[in-house]
Amino acid sequence: MKRITHRLIGILIVLFYPYTLLAQVMGIEDAVNATLSNYPSLSAAQSALEVVRENAQVIKDNRLPNVRLHDQINVGTANGLSGSYFSMGLIVPTSGGRRPENSSDLASGNIALATADWEVYNFGRFQAEDRLAKADILVGEAAVENEKFGIRQTVINTYLDLLWLRQTIKIEQRNIARVDTVRRIITNLVHNGIRPGLDSSLASVEFSRAKLNYFQMQEQLQRAFIQLATLTGRPVNQLEIDTTFQEQALLMQPLDMKLTADHPLLRYQTNLVNRQNFEVELIRKSALPKVSLLASTWARGTSLDIDNNFGPLGSGFGYSRTNFLVGVAATVNLTDFHRIKNRSQLQQWRIKQARSQLQTQQIQLQNSLTTSDSVMATVRLALMELPTALNSAERAYQQRLSLYNNGIENILGLTDALQLLTTVEKQAVSIQRRAVDVRLQRAYATSNFDDFFSLFRRQ
């Protein structure tokens, strides 16, 4: 009878574990590392960081002197007229003598120009830009670490789901074996007229219910495997988790861990606050005067002589006059002082928002650590009580089964004992899960996962 039951369990395992036969075993730390090496959102965060780094170089390149070379050869009329106007970039300037009449004769000209301008001093705006660029890089680096931290949590939770589902499925397998054993005993008793036919029907119902529970757990397990395969980038038919779990380590006192400013979530928020402060400084510096060095040299030729008479066009293609000019210019836009007042006020609100988010994150992490520490002792007491509860439930089931075989107990009492044993076994898994979740909560709050990972390492 036991051999038949074991064969049934074996068939169910083969039906629902075809992808584990050739799979490579993966530990929880391996799963985390595999995900961090190829997950798309992490690549996107890294690319965003590289963009910020390149932007810092772009800012430096914008400070290089502007050096422009220009040369042009022209042919056209040269009718001058006194008066001033704004060219607006639309009116072509003409340099020529004033004449009583408008002439249609042509004149040639040639002009070459070299200019340079270099903003050499602006009362600290360059330094403010550099500090803001560095702050942006720090925010980008913290964002990458923040993304890694979130991905690690997702992988760990998925891995733990698989681990607990595996343990629950083992309970369902044992439950099926026990129910099948009882069902066969009852069937024999009914066939021999010792028990009523109702007992056989109730046993069959219980057996079907046990199998349905098993099938449901298998579906959940397969979904969890697909999710972990998606995260780690492994084919689902080649993925199998390492079920190593140090249960006794849950009874030991964990390491003392504290919340530090180096936590990825806090470091990101802190860098964001600093970045917003640096932007305020840049806003204030941007309205200050700008001091530039200016230099220019040019050469010019024309077919007009000194009396403004038209000469051969070819004579205007050479250079007959040269000039140069150097200077220092200071530029300030007075209305910028009004603009930066409102921009600074706007940025101050952003700083306040960032500081509030930092404080909120600190409170949440500290509460998480305090909560996990406070419930640790209670969970440990529950773990210590598990062996007694499991042994008691097992004895109760065996006693009810013996009483039923001797005609003293009815089928309902035996079914209750079966269900109680399965419930206690599942409760044991639930308590272990709570204990592991508390350890994970402490690791999350402190960003120290070494003590947590030790629960799943082989000794």
Side-chain angles (χ1 to χ4, degrees):
M1 185 179 300
K2 291 184 178 179
R3 185 167 53 194
I4 296 175
T5 301
H6 291 162
R7 177 185 293 180
L8 174 63
I9 299 300
I11 292 174
L12 291 173
I13 292 175
V14 171
L15 285 176
F16 288 91
Y17 285 89
Y19 46 83
T20 64
L21 300 179
L22 300 176
Q24 182 180 3
V25 177
M26 176 183 288
I28 188 169
E29 292 176 271
D30 297 330
V32 170
N33 293 332
T35 303
L36 292 179
S37 65
N38 59 52
Y39 202 64
S41 66
L42 186 57
S43 296
Q46 189 65 48
S47 298
L49 173 59
E50 295 304 322
V51 169
V52 174
R53 286 173 174 166
E54 288 299 323
N55 184 63
Q57 185 59 45
V58 171
I59 292 174
K60 293 181 181 297
D61 292 342
N62 289 337
R63 300 171 188 168
L64 296 175
N66 295 315
V67 179
R68 301 178 180 89
L69 300 177
H70 178 75
D71 185 86
Q72 59 178 270
I73 298 174
N74 303 301
V75 176
T77 59
N79 294 299
L81 192 65
S82 299
S84 300
Y85 56 88
F86 292 102
S87 72
M88 304 299 290
L90 303 174
I91 301 174
V92 179
T94 298
S95 178
R98 292 177 295 161
R99 296 181 177 84
E101 73 284 346
N102 192 61
S103 175
S104 61
D105 293 335
L106 297 178
S108 62
N110 187 12
I111 184 169
L113 176 68
T115 64
D117 62 273
W118 186 16
E119 187 177 330
V120 294
Y121 186 69
N122 46 37
F123 298 91
R125 196 191 81 230
F126 285 162
Q127 292 81 356
E129 287 177 348
D130 290 338
R131 284 191 287 268
L132 180 60
K134 292 178 181 178
D136 282 334
I137 292 175
L138 291 176
V139 171
E141 291 173 345
V144 172
E145 293 302 316
N146 204 6
E147 184 68 18
K148 288 182 179 179
F149 188 78
I151 291 173
R152 182 187 291 111
Q153 288 300 115
T154 301
V155 176
I156 290 174
N157 289 330
T158 303
Y159 193 97
L160 291 178
D161 286 342
L162 280 171
L163 182 65
W164 304 129
L165 284 169
R166 276 292 179 80
Q167 293 196 15
T168 305
I169 283 176
K170 289 180 180 179
I171 295 173
E172 295 294 348
Q173 291 173 354
R174 293 196 297 268
N175 185 46
I176 289 176
R178 288 191 293 258
V179 172
D180 186 52
T181 299
V182 171
R183 182 178 65 89
R184 293 179 180 277
I185 292 174
I186 292 175
T187 300
N188 290 333
L189 293 175
V190 171
H191 286 167
N192 294 325
I194 300 176
R195 287 289 182 177
L198 178 61
D199 285 9
S200 177
S201 299
L202 292 175
S204 296
V205 170
E206 190 66 24
F207 185 60
S208 295
R209 194 175 68 86
K211 289 193 292 184
L212 290 174
N213 289 337
Y214 182 82
F215 296 153
Q216 182 180 5
M217 297 304 300
Q218 286 287 357
E219 179 185 349
Q220 296 178 19
L221 181 67
Q222 195 165 14
R223 291 180 183 274
F225 260 112
I226 292 173
Q227 182 176 355
L228 185 62
T230 302
L231 290 169
T232 59
R234 302 292 179 85
V236 68
N237 60 345
Q238 298 179 13
L239 182 62
E240 177 57 47
I241 66 169
D242 187 350
T243 56
T244 300
F245 176 45
Q246 307 297 334
E247 298 181 16
Q248 294 302 317
L250 294 175
L251 297 174
M252 300 173 59
Q253 183 68 27
L255 299 176
D256 184 30
M257 294 187 292
K258 302 295 184 182
L259 177 63
T260 65
D262 197 46
H263 193 290
L265 299 180
L266 296 182
R267 188 163 64 248
Y268 174 77
Q269 295 293 342
T270 300
N271 288 335
L272 188 59
V273 171
N274 293 336
R275 189 263 175 210
Q276 303 291 40
N277 281 321
F278 286 132
E279 185 164 353
V280 169
E281 182 182 6
L282 177 58
I283 290 173
R284 292 171 179 169
K285 297 287 186 181
S286 63
L288 297 179
K290 304 170 183 61
V291 179
S292 302
L293 292 179
L294 306 175
S296 179
T297 180
W298 66 97
R300 187 173 183 184
T302 180
S303 63
L304 296 173
D305 61 18
I306 58 175
D307 295 323
N308 287 314
N309 296 317
F310 292 89
L313 293 179
S315 64
F317 297 148
Y319 301 117
S320 58
R321 295 290 187 273
T322 59
N323 294 282
F324 72 90
L325 184 68
V326 294
V328 178
T331 305
V332 62
N333 187 342
L334 297 179
T335 57
D336 280 347
F337 291 101
H338 174 73
R339 294 189 182 102
I340 66 169
K341 179 180 179 181
N342 293 330
R343 289 180 60 193
S344 297
Q345 290 177 347
L346 175 63
Q347 191 62 25
Q348 289 295 342
W349 285 110
R350 290 173 178 167
I351 293 173
K352 185 176 181 180
Q353 179 187 18
R355 286 175 176 169
S356 298
Q357 291 173 343
L358 173 60
Q359 293 173 355
T360 300
Q361 191 69 74
Q362 288 174 327
I363 293 173
Q364 290 175 346
L365 291 174
Q366 187 60 55
N367 285 344
S368 181
L369 180 60
T370 303
T371 301
S372 61
D373 288 340
S374 64
V375 302
M376 185 77 67
T378 304
V379 174
R380 193 179 297 114
L381 292 175
L383 289 170
M384 296 172 62
E385 187 64 25
L386 284 182
T388 301
L390 289 170
N391 291 333
S392 299
E394 178 66 31
R395 288 197 303 269
Y397 162 68
Q398 295 296 339
Q399 291 170 1
R400 288 290 181 91
L401 180 60
S402 177
L403 292 173
Y404 182 84
N405 288 333
N406 293 322
I408 301 176
E409 183 62 87
N410 58 35
I411 183 63
L412 296 179
L414 180 57
T415 301
D416 288 342
L418 268 172
Q419 294 178 353
L420 177 62
L421 177 56
T422 302
T423 300
V424 172
E425 289 177 337
K426 290 183 178 180
Q427 188 177 18
V429 174
S430 177
I431 292 174
Q432 289 179 349
R433 180 167 190 166
R434 283 165 48 201
V436 172
D437 286 346
V438 169
R439 297 290 185 108
L440 178 58
Q441 187 176 350
R442 297 179 80 248
Y444 177 86
T446 59
S447 189
N448 185 348
F449 288 85
D450 188 67
D451 184 54
F452 172 78
F453 284 143
S454 66
L455 297 173
F456 307 96
R457 293 171 182 159
R458 296 181 182 272
Q459 298 295 336

